[in-house]
Amino acid sequence: MAIERTLSIIKPDATARNITGKIIAKLEEAGLRIIAQKRIRWSKAEAEAFYAVHRERPFFNDLVAFMTSGPIVVQVLEGENAVAKNREVMGATNPANAAPGTIRREFAENIERNSVHGSDSAENAAAEIAQVFKPEELVG
Ligand code: UDP
């Protein structure tokens, strides 16, 4: 299996509730290694650019407002099959559909305030990582 990298974001609902450590524990227990991490607050333009693929969706404006409402923790996770492994430990977008033991099942408030983001393909991961981190910030 290939060693991959993926972008993870701990969202404002989770930083507000001071549960970043609980989420990080789940990621590490899944075998994912944090090789870059920083706490930032996005501007509207940064959030709009990150979620540009969803621009036409009805939830876009609310999502941008939510993602700029407080601090986020952005991370690069590395490991075997990291993209799929992170999606698995995150759980389904809607916490009502997320499997027991997943981050979203345990911590998400609702389909929007769902605690974490994870890239959905290796290709998108590379683009998302480049948007958030400088190459020298990744320490593998
Ligand atoms: N989202 C939302 N309403 C929806 C679907 C998605 O508010 O009906 C938000 C939610 O925060 C989600 C993000 O938009 O995580 C991106 O949606 P996507 O379908 O890409 O889900 P993900 O890949 O995060 O599971």
PDB file of all heavy atoms in Angstrom, residues 4-8 33-38 74-79 125-140:
ATOM      1  N   GLU A   4       0.541   7.833   1.760  1.00  0.00           N
ATOM      2  CA  GLU A   4      -0.113   9.029   1.217  1.00  0.00           C
ATOM      3  C   GLU A   4      -0.115  10.152   2.252  1.00  0.00           C
ATOM      4  O   GLU A   4       0.094   9.918   3.437  1.00  0.00           O
ATOM      5  CB  GLU A   4      -1.584   8.723   0.884  1.00  0.00           C
ATOM      6  CG  GLU A   4      -1.798   7.814  -0.297  1.00  0.00           C
ATOM      7  CD  GLU A   4      -3.282   7.574  -0.538  1.00  0.00           C
ATOM      8  OE1 GLU A   4      -4.113   7.692   0.394  1.00  0.00           O
ATOM      9  OE2 GLU A   4      -3.620   7.245  -1.674  1.00  0.00           O
ATOM     10  N   ARG A   5      -0.457  11.331   1.743  1.00  0.00           N
ATOM     11  CA  ARG A   5      -0.704  12.485   2.624  1.00  0.00           C
ATOM     12  C   ARG A   5      -2.096  13.024   2.337  1.00  0.00           C
ATOM     13  O   ARG A   5      -2.550  12.974   1.190  1.00  0.00           O
ATOM     14  CB  ARG A   5       0.345  13.575   2.364  1.00  0.00           C
ATOM     15  CG  ARG A   5       1.721  13.156   2.848  1.00  0.00           C
ATOM     16  CD  ARG A   5       2.775  14.167   2.484  1.00  0.00           C
ATOM     17  NE  ARG A   5       4.048  13.783   3.113  1.00  0.00           N
ATOM     18  CZ  ARG A   5       5.179  14.429   2.972  1.00  0.00           C
ATOM     19  NH1 ARG A   5       5.235  15.530   2.235  1.00  0.00           N
ATOM     20  NH2 ARG A   5       6.276  14.016   3.583  1.00  0.00           N
ATOM     21  N   THR A   6      -2.726  13.530   3.369  1.00  0.00           N
ATOM     22  CA  THR A   6      -4.070  14.093   3.189  1.00  0.00           C
ATOM     23  C   THR A   6      -4.221  15.339   4.062  1.00  0.00           C
ATOM     24  O   THR A   6      -3.526  15.471   5.084  1.00  0.00           O
ATOM     25  CB  THR A   6      -5.155  13.040   3.522  1.00  0.00           C
ATOM     26  OG1 THR A   6      -6.433  13.529   3.114  1.00  0.00           O
ATOM     27  CG2 THR A   6      -5.191  12.684   5.000  1.00  0.00           C
ATOM     28  N   LEU A   7      -5.110  16.240   3.651  1.00  0.00           N
ATOM     29  CA  LEU A   7      -5.358  17.427   4.480  1.00  0.00           C
ATOM     30  C   LEU A   7      -6.533  17.171   5.418  1.00  0.00           C
ATOM     31  O   LEU A   7      -7.587  16.692   4.990  1.00  0.00           O
ATOM     32  CB  LEU A   7      -5.682  18.653   3.620  1.00  0.00           C
ATOM     33  CG  LEU A   7      -5.773  19.910   4.504  1.00  0.00           C
ATOM     34  CD1 LEU A   7      -4.393  20.479   4.792  1.00  0.00           C
ATOM     35  CD2 LEU A   7      -6.666  20.973   3.904  1.00  0.00           C
ATOM     36  N   SER A   8      -6.319  17.482   6.682  1.00  0.00           N
ATOM     37  CA  SER A   8      -7.359  17.381   7.700  1.00  0.00           C
ATOM     38  C   SER A   8      -7.603  18.770   8.289  1.00  0.00           C
ATOM     39  O   SER A   8      -6.659  19.554   8.441  1.00  0.00           O
ATOM     40  CB  SER A   8      -6.870  16.430   8.804  1.00  0.00           C
ATOM     41  OG  SER A   8      -7.655  16.567   9.974  1.00  0.00           O
ATOM     42  N   ARG A  33      -0.305   9.896  11.002  1.00  0.00           N
ATOM     43  CA  ARG A  33       0.783  10.638  11.647  1.00  0.00           C
ATOM     44  C   ARG A  33       0.660  12.107  11.257  1.00  0.00           C
ATOM     45  O   ARG A  33       0.548  12.414  10.061  1.00  0.00           O
ATOM     46  CB  ARG A  33       2.091  10.049  11.105  1.00  0.00           C
ATOM     47  CG  ARG A  33       3.294  10.215  11.917  1.00  0.00           C
ATOM     48  CD  ARG A  33       4.397   9.292  11.405  1.00  0.00           C
ATOM     49  NE  ARG A  33       4.347   8.004  12.077  1.00  0.00           N
ATOM     50  CZ  ARG A  33       4.828   7.775  13.300  1.00  0.00           C
ATOM     51  NH1 ARG A  33       5.426   8.738  13.975  1.00  0.00           N
ATOM     52  NH2 ARG A  33       4.734   6.583  13.854  1.00  0.00           N
ATOM     53  N   ILE A  34       0.667  13.008  12.236  1.00  0.00           N
ATOM     54  CA  ILE A  34       0.562  14.444  11.934  1.00  0.00           C
ATOM     55  C   ILE A  34       1.946  14.960  11.573  1.00  0.00           C
ATOM     56  O   ILE A  34       2.837  14.995  12.424  1.00  0.00           O
ATOM     57  CB  ILE A  34       0.011  15.217  13.150  1.00  0.00           C
ATOM     58  CG1 ILE A  34      -1.383  14.703  13.513  1.00  0.00           C
ATOM     59  CG2 ILE A  34      -0.030  16.716  12.857  1.00  0.00           C
ATOM     60  CD1 ILE A  34      -1.861  15.167  14.877  1.00  0.00           C
ATOM     61  N   ILE A  35       2.129  15.364  10.312  1.00  0.00           N
ATOM     62  CA  ILE A  35       3.452  15.853   9.891  1.00  0.00           C
ATOM     63  C   ILE A  35       3.450  17.373   9.691  1.00  0.00           C
ATOM     64  O   ILE A  35       4.492  17.958   9.396  1.00  0.00           O
ATOM     65  CB  ILE A  35       3.967  15.129   8.634  1.00  0.00           C
ATOM     66  CG1 ILE A  35       3.060  15.378   7.427  1.00  0.00           C
ATOM     67  CG2 ILE A  35       4.125  13.632   8.886  1.00  0.00           C
ATOM     68  CD1 ILE A  35       3.783  15.101   6.110  1.00  0.00           C
ATOM     69  N   ALA A  36       2.287  18.005   9.877  1.00  0.00           N
ATOM     70  CA  ALA A  36       2.195  19.470   9.886  1.00  0.00           C
ATOM     71  C   ALA A  36       0.899  19.835  10.597  1.00  0.00           C
ATOM     72  O   ALA A  36      -0.099  19.122  10.474  1.00  0.00           O
ATOM     73  CB  ALA A  36       2.181  20.029   8.473  1.00  0.00           C
ATOM     74  N   GLN A  37       0.940  20.932  11.345  1.00  0.00           N
ATOM     75  CA  GLN A  37      -0.265  21.332  12.076  1.00  0.00           C
ATOM     76  C   GLN A  37      -0.159  22.798  12.471  1.00  0.00           C
ATOM     77  O   GLN A  37       0.884  23.235  12.946  1.00  0.00           O
ATOM     78  CB  GLN A  37      -0.416  20.475  13.332  1.00  0.00           C
ATOM     79  CG  GLN A  37      -1.603  20.831  14.210  1.00  0.00           C
ATOM     80  CD  GLN A  37      -1.865  19.763  15.290  1.00  0.00           C
ATOM     81  OE1 GLN A  37      -2.678  18.880  15.098  1.00  0.00           O
ATOM     82  NE2 GLN A  37      -1.154  19.845  16.389  1.00  0.00           N
ATOM     83  N   LYS A  38      -1.242  23.536  12.286  1.00  0.00           N
ATOM     84  CA  LYS A  38      -1.276  24.913  12.799  1.00  0.00           C
ATOM     85  C   LYS A  38      -2.711  25.345  13.038  1.00  0.00           C
ATOM     86  O   LYS A  38      -3.640  24.861  12.380  1.00  0.00           O
ATOM     87  CB  LYS A  38      -0.560  25.892  11.860  1.00  0.00           C
ATOM     88  CG  LYS A  38      -1.103  25.968  10.456  1.00  0.00           C
ATOM     89  CD  LYS A  38      -0.194  26.841   9.562  1.00  0.00           C
ATOM     90  CE  LYS A  38      -0.646  26.777   8.124  1.00  0.00           C
ATOM     91  NZ  LYS A  38       0.234  27.533   7.203  1.00  0.00           N
ATOM     92  N   VAL A  74      -5.525  23.136  11.069  1.00  0.00           N
ATOM     93  CA  VAL A  74      -5.251  22.461   9.797  1.00  0.00           C
ATOM     94  C   VAL A  74      -4.064  21.535   9.991  1.00  0.00           C
ATOM     95  O   VAL A  74      -3.098  21.868  10.692  1.00  0.00           O
ATOM     96  CB  VAL A  74      -4.989  23.472   8.658  1.00  0.00           C
ATOM     97  CG1 VAL A  74      -6.269  24.171   8.268  1.00  0.00           C
ATOM     98  CG2 VAL A  74      -3.924  24.478   9.033  1.00  0.00           C
ATOM     99  N   GLN A  75      -4.160  20.364   9.365  1.00  0.00           N
ATOM    100  CA  GLN A  75      -3.136  19.334   9.570  1.00  0.00           C
ATOM    101  C   GLN A  75      -2.839  18.613   8.255  1.00  0.00           C
ATOM    102  O   GLN A  75      -3.738  18.434   7.442  1.00  0.00           O
ATOM    103  CB  GLN A  75      -3.647  18.260  10.539  1.00  0.00           C
ATOM    104  CG  GLN A  75      -4.152  18.772  11.851  1.00  0.00           C
ATOM    105  CD  GLN A  75      -4.916  17.701  12.614  1.00  0.00           C
ATOM    106  OE1 GLN A  75      -5.811  17.068  12.060  1.00  0.00           O
ATOM    107  NE2 GLN A  75      -4.563  17.495  13.863  1.00  0.00           N
ATOM    108  N   VAL A  76      -1.603  18.161   8.100  1.00  0.00           N
ATOM    109  CA  VAL A  76      -1.295  17.172   7.075  1.00  0.00           C
ATOM    110  C   VAL A  76      -1.072  15.847   7.783  1.00  0.00           C
ATOM    111  O   VAL A  76      -0.260  15.759   8.719  1.00  0.00           O
ATOM    112  CB  VAL A  76      -0.039  17.561   6.258  1.00  0.00           C
ATOM    113  CG1 VAL A  76       0.269  16.469   5.231  1.00  0.00           C
ATOM    114  CG2 VAL A  76      -0.252  18.900   5.568  1.00  0.00           C
ATOM    115  N   LEU A  77      -1.839  14.841   7.364  1.00  0.00           N
ATOM    116  CA  LEU A  77      -1.742  13.498   7.934  1.00  0.00           C
ATOM    117  C   LEU A  77      -1.053  12.593   6.924  1.00  0.00           C
ATOM    118  O   LEU A  77      -1.347  12.652   5.731  1.00  0.00           O
ATOM    119  CB  LEU A  77      -3.135  12.942   8.236  1.00  0.00           C
ATOM    120  CG  LEU A  77      -4.048  13.819   9.091  1.00  0.00           C
ATOM    121  CD1 LEU A  77      -5.411  13.154   9.251  1.00  0.00           C
ATOM    122  CD2 LEU A  77      -3.412  14.088  10.448  1.00  0.00           C
ATOM    123  N   GLU A  78      -0.159  11.752   7.426  1.00  0.00           N
ATOM    124  CA  GLU A  78       0.577  10.845   6.556  1.00  0.00           C
ATOM    125  C   GLU A  78       0.394   9.412   7.039  1.00  0.00           C
ATOM    126  O   GLU A  78       0.346   9.161   8.249  1.00  0.00           O
ATOM    127  CB  GLU A  78       2.069  11.219   6.573  1.00  0.00           C
ATOM    128  CG  GLU A  78       2.909  10.419   5.588  1.00  0.00           C
ATOM    129  CD  GLU A  78       4.371  10.860   5.622  1.00  0.00           C
ATOM    130  OE1 GLU A  78       5.103  10.407   6.534  1.00  0.00           O
ATOM    131  OE2 GLU A  78       4.767  11.653   4.766  1.00  0.00           O
ATOM    132  N   GLY A  79       0.328   8.483   6.101  1.00  0.00           N
ATOM    133  CA  GLY A  79       0.231   7.073   6.460  1.00  0.00           C
ATOM    134  C   GLY A  79      -0.175   6.234   5.272  1.00  0.00           C
ATOM    135  O   GLY A  79      -0.456   6.774   4.194  1.00  0.00           O
ATOM    136  N   ALA A 125      -6.110  16.132  -2.255  1.00  0.00           N
ATOM    137  CA  ALA A 125      -5.247  16.304  -1.072  1.00  0.00           C
ATOM    138  C   ALA A 125      -4.037  17.163  -1.422  1.00  0.00           C
ATOM    139  O   ALA A 125      -3.691  18.092  -0.689  1.00  0.00           O
ATOM    140  CB  ALA A 125      -4.811  14.941  -0.539  1.00  0.00           C
ATOM    141  N   ALA A 126      -3.403  16.869  -2.535  1.00  0.00           N
ATOM    142  CA  ALA A 126      -2.208  17.629  -2.925  1.00  0.00           C
ATOM    143  C   ALA A 126      -2.553  19.106  -3.122  1.00  0.00           C
ATOM    144  O   ALA A 126      -1.811  19.995  -2.677  1.00  0.00           O
ATOM    145  CB  ALA A 126      -1.610  17.030  -4.200  1.00  0.00           C
ATOM    146  N   ALA A 127      -3.690  19.368  -3.765  1.00  0.00           N
ATOM    147  CA  ALA A 127      -4.095  20.758  -4.007  1.00  0.00           C
ATOM    148  C   ALA A 127      -4.452  21.464  -2.699  1.00  0.00           C
ATOM    149  O   ALA A 127      -4.084  22.629  -2.481  1.00  0.00           O
ATOM    150  CB  ALA A 127      -5.278  20.783  -4.965  1.00  0.00           C
ATOM    151  N   GLU A 128      -5.170  20.764  -1.816  1.00  0.00           N
ATOM    152  CA  GLU A 128      -5.579  21.373  -0.542  1.00  0.00           C
ATOM    153  C   GLU A 128      -4.375  21.629   0.371  1.00  0.00           C
ATOM    154  O   GLU A 128      -4.305  22.667   1.039  1.00  0.00           O
ATOM    155  CB  GLU A 128      -6.592  20.472   0.156  1.00  0.00           C
ATOM    156  CG  GLU A 128      -7.943  20.423  -0.552  1.00  0.00           C
ATOM    157  CD  GLU A 128      -8.949  19.475   0.091  1.00  0.00           C
ATOM    158  OE1 GLU A 128      -8.624  18.856   1.130  1.00  0.00           O
ATOM    159  OE2 GLU A 128     -10.059  19.347  -0.448  1.00  0.00           O
ATOM    160  N   ILE A 129      -3.437  20.683   0.388  1.00  0.00           N
ATOM    161  CA  ILE A 129      -2.230  20.873   1.211  1.00  0.00           C
ATOM    162  C   ILE A 129      -1.470  22.105   0.719  1.00  0.00           C
ATOM    163  O   ILE A 129      -1.039  22.940   1.520  1.00  0.00           O
ATOM    164  CB  ILE A 129      -1.343  19.603   1.174  1.00  0.00           C
ATOM    165  CG1 ILE A 129      -2.010  18.468   1.949  1.00  0.00           C
ATOM    166  CG2 ILE A 129       0.057  19.905   1.739  1.00  0.00           C
ATOM    167  CD1 ILE A 129      -1.371  17.092   1.738  1.00  0.00           C
ATOM    168  N   ALA A 130      -1.349  22.239  -0.596  1.00  0.00           N
ATOM    169  CA  ALA A 130      -0.609  23.379  -1.167  1.00  0.00           C
ATOM    170  C   ALA A 130      -1.305  24.704  -0.869  1.00  0.00           C
ATOM    171  O   ALA A 130      -0.655  25.748  -0.762  1.00  0.00           O
ATOM    172  CB  ALA A 130      -0.462  23.189  -2.677  1.00  0.00           C
ATOM    173  N   GLN A 131      -2.627  24.654  -0.686  1.00  0.00           N
ATOM    174  CA  GLN A 131      -3.365  25.881  -0.386  1.00  0.00           C
ATOM    175  C   GLN A 131      -3.134  26.353   1.044  1.00  0.00           C
ATOM    176  O   GLN A 131      -3.190  27.543   1.341  1.00  0.00           O
ATOM    177  CB  GLN A 131      -4.861  25.638  -0.611  1.00  0.00           C
ATOM    178  CG  GLN A 131      -5.689  26.890  -0.533  1.00  0.00           C
ATOM    179  CD  GLN A 131      -7.160  26.607  -0.825  1.00  0.00           C
ATOM    180  OE1 GLN A 131      -7.495  25.638  -1.509  1.00  0.00           O
ATOM    181  NE2 GLN A 131      -8.029  27.427  -0.298  1.00  0.00           N
ATOM    182  N   VAL A 132      -2.827  25.431   1.944  1.00  0.00           N
ATOM    183  CA  VAL A 132      -2.810  25.747   3.373  1.00  0.00           C
ATOM    184  C   VAL A 132      -1.389  25.774   3.964  1.00  0.00           C
ATOM    185  O   VAL A 132      -1.132  26.490   4.928  1.00  0.00           O
ATOM    186  CB  VAL A 132      -3.698  24.728   4.133  1.00  0.00           C
ATOM    187  CG1 VAL A 132      -3.627  24.937   5.619  1.00  0.00           C
ATOM    188  CG2 VAL A 132      -5.149  24.832   3.658  1.00  0.00           C
ATOM    189  N   PHE A 133      -0.492  24.990   3.392  1.00  0.00           N
ATOM    190  CA  PHE A 133       0.866  24.888   3.955  1.00  0.00           C
ATOM    191  C   PHE A 133       1.938  25.212   2.920  1.00  0.00           C
ATOM    192  O   PHE A 133       1.776  24.934   1.735  1.00  0.00           O
ATOM    193  CB  PHE A 133       1.120  23.458   4.457  1.00  0.00           C
ATOM    194  CG  PHE A 133       0.382  23.115   5.724  1.00  0.00           C
ATOM    195  CD1 PHE A 133      -0.795  22.387   5.678  1.00  0.00           C
ATOM    196  CD2 PHE A 133       0.878  23.505   6.965  1.00  0.00           C
ATOM    197  CE1 PHE A 133      -1.484  22.060   6.842  1.00  0.00           C
ATOM    198  CE2 PHE A 133       0.190  23.183   8.135  1.00  0.00           C
ATOM    199  CZ  PHE A 133      -0.984  22.453   8.077  1.00  0.00           C
ATOM    200  N   LYS A 134       3.053  25.779   3.417  1.00  0.00           N
ATOM    201  CA  LYS A 134       4.248  25.900   2.595  1.00  0.00           C
ATOM    202  C   LYS A 134       4.996  24.559   2.661  1.00  0.00           C
ATOM    203  O   LYS A 134       4.932  23.885   3.705  1.00  0.00           O
ATOM    204  CB  LYS A 134       5.170  26.991   3.149  1.00  0.00           C
ATOM    205  CG  LYS A 134       4.545  28.361   3.203  1.00  0.00           C
ATOM    206  CD  LYS A 134       5.597  29.386   3.628  1.00  0.00           C
ATOM    207  CE  LYS A 134       4.957  30.746   3.854  1.00  0.00           C
ATOM    208  NZ  LYS A 134       4.822  31.084   5.275  1.00  0.00           N
ATOM    209  N   PRO A 135       5.701  24.176   1.610  1.00  0.00           N
ATOM    210  CA  PRO A 135       6.386  22.869   1.617  1.00  0.00           C
ATOM    211  C   PRO A 135       7.271  22.671   2.851  1.00  0.00           C
ATOM    212  O   PRO A 135       7.319  21.567   3.405  1.00  0.00           O
ATOM    213  CB  PRO A 135       7.227  22.905   0.335  1.00  0.00           C
ATOM    214  CG  PRO A 135       6.510  23.847  -0.568  1.00  0.00           C
ATOM    215  CD  PRO A 135       5.865  24.889   0.332  1.00  0.00           C
ATOM    216  N   GLU A 136       7.943  23.730   3.311  1.00  0.00           N
ATOM    217  CA  GLU A 136       8.873  23.567   4.435  1.00  0.00           C
ATOM    218  C   GLU A 136       8.151  23.379   5.784  1.00  0.00           C
ATOM    219  O   GLU A 136       8.786  23.062   6.793  1.00  0.00           O
ATOM    220  CB  GLU A 136       9.854  24.748   4.517  1.00  0.00           C
ATOM    221  CG  GLU A 136       9.224  26.116   4.752  1.00  0.00           C
ATOM    222  CD  GLU A 136       8.890  26.862   3.452  1.00  0.00           C
ATOM    223  OE1 GLU A 136       8.665  26.203   2.409  1.00  0.00           O
ATOM    224  OE2 GLU A 136       8.857  28.108   3.497  1.00  0.00           O
ATOM    225  N   GLU A 137       6.830  23.562   5.807  1.00  0.00           N
ATOM    226  CA  GLU A 137       6.079  23.341   7.046  1.00  0.00           C
ATOM    227  C   GLU A 137       5.747  21.866   7.256  1.00  0.00           C
ATOM    228  O   GLU A 137       5.271  21.495   8.324  1.00  0.00           O
ATOM    229  CB  GLU A 137       4.771  24.154   7.014  1.00  0.00           C
ATOM    230  CG  GLU A 137       5.005  25.650   7.120  1.00  0.00           C
ATOM    231  CD  GLU A 137       3.710  26.451   7.061  1.00  0.00           C
ATOM    232  OE1 GLU A 137       2.915  26.269   6.108  1.00  0.00           O
ATOM    233  OE2 GLU A 137       3.501  27.273   7.984  1.00  0.00           O
ATOM    234  N   LEU A 138       5.982  21.032   6.250  1.00  0.00           N
ATOM    235  CA  LEU A 138       5.726  19.589   6.361  1.00  0.00           C
ATOM    236  C   LEU A 138       7.003  18.905   6.846  1.00  0.00           C
ATOM    237  O   LEU A 138       8.045  18.986   6.188  1.00  0.00           O
ATOM    238  CB  LEU A 138       5.302  19.002   5.018  1.00  0.00           C
ATOM    239  CG  LEU A 138       3.835  19.144   4.631  1.00  0.00           C
ATOM    240  CD1 LEU A 138       3.355  20.577   4.625  1.00  0.00           C
ATOM    241  CD2 LEU A 138       3.575  18.509   3.266  1.00  0.00           C
ATOM    242  N   VAL A 139       6.892  18.272   8.016  1.00  0.00           N
ATOM    243  CA  VAL A 139       8.080  17.613   8.589  1.00  0.00           C
ATOM    244  C   VAL A 139       7.743  16.136   8.791  1.00  0.00           C
ATOM    245  O   VAL A 139       7.124  15.745   9.774  1.00  0.00           O
ATOM    246  CB  VAL A 139       8.472  18.280   9.932  1.00  0.00           C
ATOM    247  CG1 VAL A 139       9.744  17.640  10.469  1.00  0.00           C
ATOM    248  CG2 VAL A 139       8.650  19.779   9.755  1.00  0.00           C
ATOM    249  N   GLY A 140       8.118  15.333   7.806  1.00  0.00           N
ATOM    250  CA  GLY A 140       7.748  13.913   7.818  1.00  0.00           C
ATOM    251  C   GLY A 140       8.728  13.066   8.609  1.00  0.00           C
ATOM    252  O   GLY A 140       9.696  13.556   9.147  1.00  0.00           O
TER     253      GLY A 140
END
